[in-house]
Amino acid sequence: MGRGRRHRGRSHRNQSEESRENAPKPLKSDAPFDSTIQNRTWSNLDFEEYYKEQRIVKAEEWDSFIEILRKPLPAAFRVNSNGQFCDEILSMLENDFVKSLQAEAVESGEVEAIKPLPWYPNNLAWHSNFSRKEIRKNQTLERFHEFLKLETEVGNMTRQEAVSMVPPLFLDVHPDHFVLDMCAAPGSKTFQLLEIIHESAEPGSLPNGMVVANDVDYKRSNLLIHQTKRTCTTNLIVTNNEGQHFPNCNSIASEKCHHPIDQLLFDRVLCDVPCSGDGTLRKAPDIWRRWNSGSGNGLHSLQVVIAMRGLSLLKVGGRMVYSTCSMNPIEDEAVVAQILRRCGGSVELVDVSDKLPQLIRRPGLKKWKVHDRGGWYRSYKDVPKVQRDGVLRSMFPSGKSDKDSTTGEIASDESAEEVCDLPLERCVRIVPHDQNTGGFFIAVLHKVSSLPDFQEKRRYTRGRNSSENKEEIVVEEEAASDNGLKLEKESTIKEGTVELGKEVPPPVKGKWKGLDPVVFLRDETVIDGIKRFYGINDESFPLNGHLVTRNSDTSTKGNVKRIYYVSRSVKDVLELNLAAGEKIKVASVGLKMFEKQSARECEAGSCSFRITSEGLPVILPYMTKQLLYATMVDFKNLLQYKSIKFTDFVHPQFGQKAAEVAEGYCVVILVDGTQKDGSEAVKVNSSTIAIGCWKGKASLTVMVTTVDCDQLIQKLAC
C-alpha cells in the first residue's frame, strides 16, 4: 500500500467521512498508464526548484535524476514463495522468458529483458525493462503478458513496484509475530507479510502469528480483501479503522472472564503512511501537473500522529518500519525526527546499512528547508506568525521553538540553516536513477522501552494546495497508552475540527454501521456433520471455536451459507475484540472454508457443506474421507472435460472407487506415475495437486474455476 498514495484521495483517507466527501476522487496506484499523457515530456518548475534546494541528489546527478523521472516505470513482480508451483514459475522465467524476450530487449536498447532484483532473497522478485503499458500493447510480449495475468489471478504472482517490496524485508518478521499493517490497501505489502509468516512456519502447520491489515477506506479495503484472498490464509484480519485512532483492544482479566491474550499489541508494525506520492511520478505522470510543496506540508502532522499511534501499539522490543513513496524531507526525515524527539529515548532508529547489501540506497538527510507560499524558511524563527498555522516547528531539522528555552527571548543565531542532531543518516532513501526504480523512503524503528506519557495540543492546517481550501484541525494527543487501560480516542467532525479524547459509546448490538459482526459458529450439528463426512479429527485440525460466520453469510431462514476458518491467533484476537466491545471494525477475517450447497444437490446422509477451492489446501492434509486418487490421464481428462461418468474413466478401478464414495463433495488427488490405476492412497504434502469435485449418481464433476483448470492444465503439460 510505494503504492502511489498521492495527495489526491489519499491525503484525507484517515479523516472522517465528512472530510473525505469533499476530497478529490482517488487515483488507483495500480491503474494503467493513460496513453494520452504518457508520451509527453513532463516538467514542473516548482518541483525542480524545490528538490534542487533540498539537495536530495548532488548537482552533477540532477540531469540523470530528472531524465529517469520522465521515463515510464519498468514493471516488477514477485513470485509467491508459498505457491505450489513456485519452482516451476522460477524455471520458466529463468529458462524460457529470459531468452525468448531478449531480442525485444535489444531492439529497445536494453541489455536484459527481465532479470531478478539482485537484492531480493532467492530470486523471487523480478524486474522487467518494459513498462506495464508496453507489456500490454506489444504483440511480441503477448505470451509473457498472458503468463503474468494468469499467474497473478491464481495467486502465484503479485505485481508490485520494486521499491514497495523493501519495507516488509526490513521488518524482520517471524512466524509467531503479530503484525499490524496500518495503512494496508491495496494489499501488496500485506500479501508479502503473509508470505513471510507462512514461509517461516513449520511444514504442514499453521503459523502462530497473524497479520492485521487496516485501511480506513471501505472501498480500498475491498481491494485489499480481494488481493489477500489469493494467499489462502487463515491468519489474517482486515479492519476498517482510522490508522491514527486504531483502537486499544484490552480486557481486564477476572475469574469470570479469561482470555489467552488480555491486550492487543504487535511485534511488528508497518506504517506505510498516506503521502504526496511524488516518488511515483514514473507510473503516475499526472503528478507533474499538480505537484506543489503544500501537499507534503499538509500531510506532515497526520503522518506524525499515525506513526506515534503505531509505536503505541508496538510491544517493547518490537520493530516498526515507517515508509512513504515521497521524496519530500517534510514527510520523511522531519516526521522521523519528530517521532524520536517525542519518544525521548524510548525508540531508536535502527541502522540497516548491512541489510540487503545489493540494494543501492542513500542515507537520510540531516538538513533541509521548509517551503510554502510565503517562500523558503531555514528555521522556525524565519516563519511569519501568520504562516505558523501551516508551517510547524516540527518540520524543521531541530524542531525547536524560536525562543530560548531558558530566557524566553527570541534567539538571535537561528538564521543559519539548521542541522538535525539525531542519527537520521540511518534512514534509507531510494533514488530512482540508482537502480531504475521509483522513489521511496524508509526508517526502521526499535522500541526499547515504554513510551513516555505526554499531552500535547497543537494546531495545524491542511490544504489541498498551498493557497486555498484550507481546513483547520485541532489535535489533542494524550498519553501513548502503553499501559493499555486508557479510554480509546475516536474522532468527530464539527465544522472542520477534529476532537480527540472523547469516549465513544460501544456499537449497538455489537455492530458497526455497514459491517456485519463476526459470529463464532456454535451449531454442533453442522460442525459434527462436517467432521464426520470429511473424516476430520478435532485434535489434529480443531474446528470447534475456529469457525466463524457473519449475518451476510446467513439466509433469511437463519441457515448458515458460508463458514470461515480462523487460526488460533486470529481466534484469540476476535475473542478479545468481542470482550472489549468490538472496538475494532472487522471487514474480513480468516479463510472461507465451507460453502453450503443447495438442498436438491445433497442426498440424504451427505454433508450440505462443500470445501471451497481456497480452503482445500489448508484442510486437505487432515481429511481421511471423500478422497480419490487419480493417475495423470484421468486427472487431465477431468480438467479438460469437467464432468465424466464413472464408466468412462481410463482406469476402471478409479471409476469404481468414485462410485463408492458418498454422494456430495469429494477431492481428487493426483498420484505420481508409479501407480498404474490410482487405487492407493498417498501422503498429502505441500506439493500435492488436488481438485474439488462433486460426486453425483453416475459421474464426477469438477468444482474448480475455468482459470484454475487452465492453469493446472498448463502446469501439468510442462
Side-chain angles (χ1 to χ4, degrees):
M1 267 107 150
R3 294 187 289 271
R5 284 169 311 205
R6 291 146 327 254
H7 185 50
R8 179 174 293 183
R10 290 287 293 201
S11 61
H12 295 273
R13 72 188 192 124
N14 279 299
Q15 306 307 306
S16 68
E17 289 298 328
E18 181 176 334
S19 176
R20 287 198 302 273
E21 284 175 2
N22 296 322
K25 296 296 181 183
L27 297 175
K28 290 185 179 180
S29 62
D30 54 355
F33 288 112
D34 185 342
S35 59
T36 64
I37 63 175
Q38 182 58 40
N39 294 323
R40 298 179 189 172
T41 298
W42 290 97
S43 65
N44 183 313
L45 295 179
D46 291 337
F47 174 90
E48 295 192 35
E49 178 201 350
Y50 185 83
Y51 281 115
K52 280 181 179 178
E53 194 72 24
Q54 298 291 20
R55 290 168 289 184
I56 64 167
V57 297
K58 296 176 181 178
E60 57 267 28
E61 296 180 77
W62 181 260
D63 289 344
S64 298
F65 171 68
I66 284 293
E67 181 183 0
I68 202 162
L69 282 179
R70 291 180 177 139
K71 292 181 178 180
L73 183 71
F77 53 91
R78 193 166 40 76
V79 180
N80 181 357
S81 59
N82 302 309
Q84 190 172 32
F85 300 104
C86 176
D87 292 339
E88 288 86 344
I89 290 172
L90 288 176
S91 177
M92 284 191 70
L93 290 169
E94 294 165 357
N95 301 317
D96 181 350
F97 288 113
V98 165
K99 299 173 183 176
S100 63
L101 298 176
Q102 189 57 39
E104 189 67 24
V106 172
E107 186 176 324
S108 302
E110 301 289 347
V111 177
E112 296 171 292
I114 60 171
K115 60 182 179 181
L117 291 171
W119 45 266
Y120 201 96
N122 303 318
N123 283 356
L124 288 168
W126 287 67
H127 164 102
S128 162
N129 277 312
F130 308 110
S131 70
R132 294 185 70 175
K133 178 188 174 185
E134 289 171 324
I135 292 174
R136 286 197 311 273
K137 301 297 184 183
N138 191 319
Q139 287 294 110
T140 309
L141 303 176
E142 184 177 0
R143 188 170 73 92
F144 182 54
H145 181 224
E146 291 303 316
F147 167 76
L148 290 177
K149 276 198 334 184
L150 178 61
E151 299 301 342
T152 299
E153 190 169 349
V154 299
N156 291 330
M157 276 186 182
T158 297
R159 298 198 202 187
Q160 183 178 359
E161 188 177 348
V163 290
S164 172
M165 304 177 194
V166 178
L169 298 181
F170 281 142
L171 261 184
D172 187 30
V173 173
H174 297 178
D176 60 342
H177 280 167
F178 278 37
V179 183
L180 172 63
D181 191 350
M182 296 189 75
C183 310
S188 55
K189 294 186 186 69
T190 303
F191 197 124
Q192 198 176 350
L193 292 169
L194 288 165
E195 278 184 44
I196 295 170
I197 281 181
H198 281 274
E199 184 180 17
S200 306
E202 289 292 325
S205 64
L206 296 177
N208 293 321
M210 61 163 296
V211 175
V212 174
N214 178 71
D215 201 278
V216 68
D217 189 299
Y218 181 74
K219 291 181 180 179
R220 288 181 61 82
S221 67
N222 281 335
L223 179 62
L224 168 63
I225 292 166
H226 175 74
Q227 175 92 299
T228 53
K229 176 184 176 182
R230 299 177 297 122
T231 63
C232 298
T233 182
T234 65
N235 298 63
L236 172 68
I237 301 177
V238 178
T239 61
N240 251 157
N241 294 87
E242 292 180 321
Q244 70 269 40
H245 303 142
F246 194 90
N248 289 326
C249 191
N250 51 66
S251 174
I252 300 176
S254 66
E255 293 182 2
K256 295 182 179 180
C257 183
H258 177 72
H259 300 279
I261 54 175
D262 57 15
Q263 183 179 4
L264 181 57
L265 294 174
F266 297 90
D267 303 278
R268 298 289 187 265
V269 173
L270 177 57
C271 186
D272 191 39
V273 295
C275 64
S276 61
D278 57 21
T280 68
L281 278 164
R282 300 182 67 186
K283 69 176 180 181
D286 188 49
I287 294 176
W288 282 108
R289 176 180 56 81
R290 51 190 175 79
W291 186 94
N292 65 77
S293 61
S295 299
N297 292 354
L299 287 163
H300 169 83
S301 289
L302 176 63
Q303 291 160 340
V304 171
V305 174
I306 294 175
M308 288 302 300
R309 186 62 191 142
L311 287 169
S312 72
L313 294 165
L314 185 66
K315 294 177 182 177
V316 172
R319 174 177 286 199
M320 184 177 93
V321 166
Y322 173 86
S323 61
T324 78
C325 51
S326 169
M327 297 180 285
N328 194 338
I330 309 304
E331 302 176 75
D332 298 340
E333 287 89 351
V335 172
V336 174
Q338 180 66 355
I339 291 169
L340 294 174
R341 285 190 290 263
R342 293 182 62 186
C343 291
S346 61
V347 171
E348 294 178 345
L349 195 55
V350 180
D351 182 0
V352 291
S353 58
D354 61 333
K355 307 299 181 185
L356 308 181
Q358 291 182 284
L359 174 68
I360 300 175
R361 83 287 302 270
R362 311 285 180 101
L365 304 177
K366 299 273 286 187
K367 55 184 179 181
W368 60 88
K369 303 172 187 175
V370 180
H371 181 271
D372 80 342
R373 63 182 180 274
W376 286 98
Y377 308 111
R378 291 176 175 270
S379 71
Y380 190 65
K381 172 183 177 296
D382 300 332
V383 183
K385 289 186 178 180
V386 294
Q387 299 295 104
R388 292 189 179 185
D389 278 347
V391 179
L392 309 178
R393 67 173 64 93
S394 62
M395 295 178 180
F396 292 89
S398 73
K400 293 179 181 177
S401 171
D402 57 340
K403 293 184 179 180
D404 186 285
S405 60
T406 56
T407 66
E409 299 294 325
I410 299 293
S412 59
D413 59 346
E414 294 190 6
S415 59
E417 188 173 359
E418 292 185 3
V419 178
C420 186
D421 59 0
L422 297 165
L424 296 182
E425 69 278 1
R426 296 177 184 174
C427 298
V428 173
R429 276 187 164 267
I430 300 176
V431 183
H433 63 288
D434 279 343
Q435 286 183 305
N436 196 12
T437 64
F440 218 77
F441 174 87
I442 301 163
V444 182
L445 300 154
H446 176 225
K447 187 172 180 179
V448 296
S449 62
S450 295
L451 302 185
D453 285 351
F454 57 87
Q455 184 167 354
E456 185 173 338
K457 186 172 182 177
R458 62 180 59 197
R459 303 177 76 88
Y460 62 92
T461 60
R462 178 182 298 112
R464 297 192 187 102
N465 59 48
S466 59
S467 61
E468 61 181 0
N469 294 328
K470 293 191 298 180
E471 52 184 327
E472 188 171 48
I473 298 179
V474 178
V475 177
E476 278 188 47
E477 300 170 34
E478 298 191 353
S481 306
D482 276 294
N483 58 18
L485 298 177
K486 291 184 170 61
L487 293 177
E488 181 53 39
K489 297 175 286 185
E490 294 285 344
S491 65
T492 57
I493 297 289
K494 294 183 179 179
E495 298 179 349
T497 300
V498 179
E499 299 176 357
L500 306 185
K502 293 186 176 181
E503 183 179 7
V504 175
V508 178
K509 296 182 180 180
K511 294 181 181 179
W512 289 99
K513 184 178 179 180
L515 288 176
D516 285 329
V518 176
V519 179
F520 280 94
L521 183 66
R522 308 294 187 190
D523 191 330
E524 295 294 334
T525 302
V526 170
I527 298 173
D528 289 343
I530 290 173
K531 289 193 290 187
R532 186 167 52 250
F533 187 74
Y534 294 114
I536 298 170
N537 187 320
D538 212 30
E539 291 183 4
S540 59
F541 192 76
L543 295 183
N544 295 75
H546 289 261
L547 300 178
V548 300
T549 186
R550 310 190 80 140
N551 285 352
S552 58
D553 297 313
T554 305
S555 69
T556 54
K557 296 181 180 180
N559 297 321
V560 175
K561 295 186 294 183
R562 286 174 288 274
I563 302 173
Y564 301 81
Y565 189 88
V566 297
S567 67
R568 177 61 182 269
S569 52
V570 170
K571 170 182 177 290
D572 292 345
V573 171
L574 289 177
E575 289 177 340
L576 177 64
N577 189 42
L578 288 170
E582 294 187 75
K583 291 182 177 181
I584 298 175
K585 301 179 185 179
V586 178
S588 176
V589 63
L591 177 67
K592 185 169 69 172
M593 184 70 73
F594 304 108
E595 198 153 34
K596 192 175 181 66
Q597 290 297 120
S598 61
R600 64 181 178 83
E601 295 175 309
C602 301
E603 299 295 328
S606 69
C607 178
S608 59
F609 285 92
R610 68 175 180 86
I611 299 169
T612 65
S613 293
E614 58 264 41
L616 181 58
V618 174
I619 199 171
L620 180 58
Y622 308 98
M623 292 175 60
T624 59
K625 295 181 180 178
Q626 296 300 105
L627 301 176
L628 294 169
Y629 303 90
T631 59
M632 181 68 77
V633 62
D634 282 327
F635 196 87
K636 282 185 175 181
N637 284 343
L638 266 173
L639 291 173
Q640 183 175 354
Y641 299 110
K642 306 298 190 291
S643 184
I644 299 178
K645 292 182 179 180
F646 303 142
T647 55
D648 291 341
F649 283 104
V650 173
H651 292 101
Q653 298 92 333
F654 177 75
Q656 181 63 35
K657 290 284 185 182
E660 292 172 358
V661 302
E663 289 191 20
Y665 182 88
C666 63
V667 179
V668 177
I669 298 170
L670 175 64
V671 297
D672 60 36
T674 60
Q675 292 195 32
K676 295 182 179 180
D677 57 11
S679 60
E680 298 178 18
V682 297
K683 184 174 177 59
V684 173
N685 55 42
S686 59
S687 64
T688 300
I689 298 175
I691 55 173
C693 291
W694 190 264
K695 185 272 175 94
K697 293 184 180 298
S699 63
L700 275 183
T701 302
V702 173
M703 301 192 75
V704 178
T705 66
T706 300
V707 171
D708 285 334
C709 278
D710 291 345
Q711 188 247 7
L712 272 176
I713 290 171
Q714 286 186 21
K715 291 293 183 294
L716 296 177
C718 296

